[in-house]
Amino acid sequence: MRALRWDGVQLQFVGAQHIPTPAPGEAFIRPLLVGVSDDDVDVAARPSGTAGDAITLGQEFVGVVESVNGADKDTLVGRRVVGSPIVVCGACDLCVAGLSAHCRARTVIGLHERDGCFADVLTLPTRNLVVVPDSVDDDHAVFALPVAAAIQAVRQMTIEGRPFVTVLGDSTIGLLTAQLMSQLNASVRLLGEHASNLAHCEKWGVKHREANEVGRRADQDIVVDCTGTAQGLQLALQLIRPRGTILLKRPTADPVELAPAVYNEITIVGSAVGPVGEAVTMLAQGKIDIVSLVDRRMNLDDGERLIKAAAAPGALKIVAAVR
Ligand SMILES: [Zn+2]
């Protein structure tokens, strides 16, 4: 089968990757449509310097369950599904405490010790899967993970008294987060650097500005940094009010001067994967516009070019058909 692989140094699109066998409790899934995530781009942008065991990239997919090893056959075989990327043990102290997203033995598809969805086939535990209702087409379903990540950011905020919220970064996740937050009782603005991306905010009623045009008045109650850059976090530290909260949606590999966080008593909260089932429900209810966020339609055969396209400045979501 075809697969887009990463070995720590280089991307390789291979045509004869071995076909995986589902372990007990796992489903054998044929992806229909996949999306390139920020993680896919970040992984390929930060080579380790030494080639190691390669894994197949890709976390965002909608696919059809072809078979199941174990129970759940009747409910899943032949159904369209999306999936949570984190595979957990269910037995460690964190899993038992209800924090299974942080399982000590976790693997993550396309990222950490588990093959992802940029391939003709992938396997995932059935408990990771969410069945997609017929009313949600593939184009919408493939956005389940980024919508879930935006829901997670909203969940982690405390909305009291109509707070001032700034979202940094006009990428897919920034635009989704701003869109969702504007549906709450908050004054939301998005700061970015690509006029064509910022223009999408008009139809959602979200205020928007070019990041270099705004004053650094330290008056925002909440800043959500979706940039994944040191400059982004530095700007967040200038915009946030004393004792305000910064939500970090994307890691940066570069050092950041954190003194303002100490002196201004800022709370910095990491925000990662969210509830995939809730995301599918929200997509089914038509509560979120994702159509504007599709930047390019490609095919799995485009291989390495998928990651390049997603890494281009100002790129929104790159989706790729697998068949
Ligand atoms: Zn665990």
Side-chain angles (χ1 to χ4, degrees):
M1 68 168 190
R2 301 168 298 167
L4 180 58
R5 311 267 293 165
W6 169 254
D7 67 1
V9 175
Q10 64 174 350
L11 284 166
Q12 218 182 352
F13 186 59
V14 298
Q17 180 64 21
H18 78 276
I19 294 174
T21 313
E26 289 186 353
F28 185 87
I29 304 157
R30 290 201 178 270
L32 301 167
L33 190 67
V34 296
V36 183
S37 72
D38 291 337
D39 279 340
D40 299 319
V41 172
D42 288 348
V43 163
R46 292 167 191 164
S48 63
T50 3
D53 292 338
I55 62 166
T56 300
L57 292 180
Q59 300 183 315
E60 301 171 4
F61 70 91
V62 51
V64 172
V65 175
E66 196 166 281
S67 64
V68 169
N69 181 352
D72 300 327
K73 278 195 182 75
D74 295 344
T75 47
L76 286 174
V77 170
R79 306 295 298 274
R80 270 185 325 139
V81 294
V82 293
S84 167
I86 302 176
V87 179
V88 306
C89 76
C92 71
D93 57 328
L94 290 170
C95 282
V96 171
L99 295 170
S100 59
H102 305 285
C103 168
R104 296 194 191 277
R106 70 180 187 171
T107 57
V108 185
I109 63 166
L111 192 63
H112 182 59
E113 295 179 2
R114 196 170 173 111
D115 285 333
C117 62
F118 293 167
D120 287 307
V121 165
L122 87 152
T123 59
L124 259 184
T126 54
R127 65 166 178 247
N128 280 53
L129 304 178
V130 175
V131 172
V132 178
D134 292 344
S135 61
V136 179
D137 63 17
D138 293 347
D139 281 356
H140 281 76
V142 79
F143 274 85
L145 275 192
V147 169
I151 292 173
Q152 181 73 355
V154 170
R155 272 186 171 184
Q156 289 174 286
M157 295 194 318
T158 313
I159 301 289
E160 278 171 355
R162 199 169 165 77
F164 287 98
V165 180
T166 291
V167 178
L168 295 182
D170 52 21
S171 61
T172 301
I173 186 65
L175 288 162
L176 282 173
T177 305
Q179 204 184 140
L180 248 70
M181 288 188 173
S182 70
Q183 298 173 9
L184 304 170
N185 183 29
S187 170
V188 181
R189 69 172 179 179
L190 177 77
L191 302 185
E193 39 187 33
H194 306 94
S196 56
N197 292 1
L198 289 171
H200 292 303
C201 293
E202 291 289 337
K203 53 182 170 293
W204 310 323
V206 174
K207 285 175 281 182
H208 53 88
R209 296 277 296 278
E210 300 243 352
N212 56 15
E213 286 176 358
V214 297
R216 273 65 167 155
R217 276 199 298 275
D219 58 0
Q220 297 296 295
D221 298 301
I222 296 163
V223 177
V224 186
D225 179 17
C226 301
T227 64
T229 65
Q231 298 92 312
L233 181 50
Q234 254 140 21
L235 176 58
L237 286 163
Q238 293 172 329
L239 297 172
I240 195 77
R241 67 163 166 81
R243 296 212 169 168
T245 301
I246 295 175
L247 254 78
L248 271 184
K249 272 313 309 180
R250 247 184 115 172
T252 168
D254 299 315
V256 177
E257 174 53 65
L258 287 174
V262 175
Y263 298 126
N264 299 323
E265 301 188 328
I266 305 303
T267 303
I268 298 180
V269 180
S271 178
V273 181
V276 180
E278 276 182 44
V280 171
T281 303
M282 183 169 266
L283 287 161
Q285 290 166 340
K287 280 187 179 169
I288 190 148
D289 165 33
I290 55 90
V291 175
S292 338
L293 302 179
V294 176
D295 191 309
R296 270 181 79 182
R297 292 176 179 279
M298 301 175 73
N299 189 285
L300 182 63
D301 282 327
D302 286 306
E304 303 92 322
R305 288 189 292 274
L306 293 176
I307 309 293
K308 264 191 200 139
L316 291 178
K317 184 58 70 187
I318 305 298
V319 295
V322 176
R323 287 187 182 173

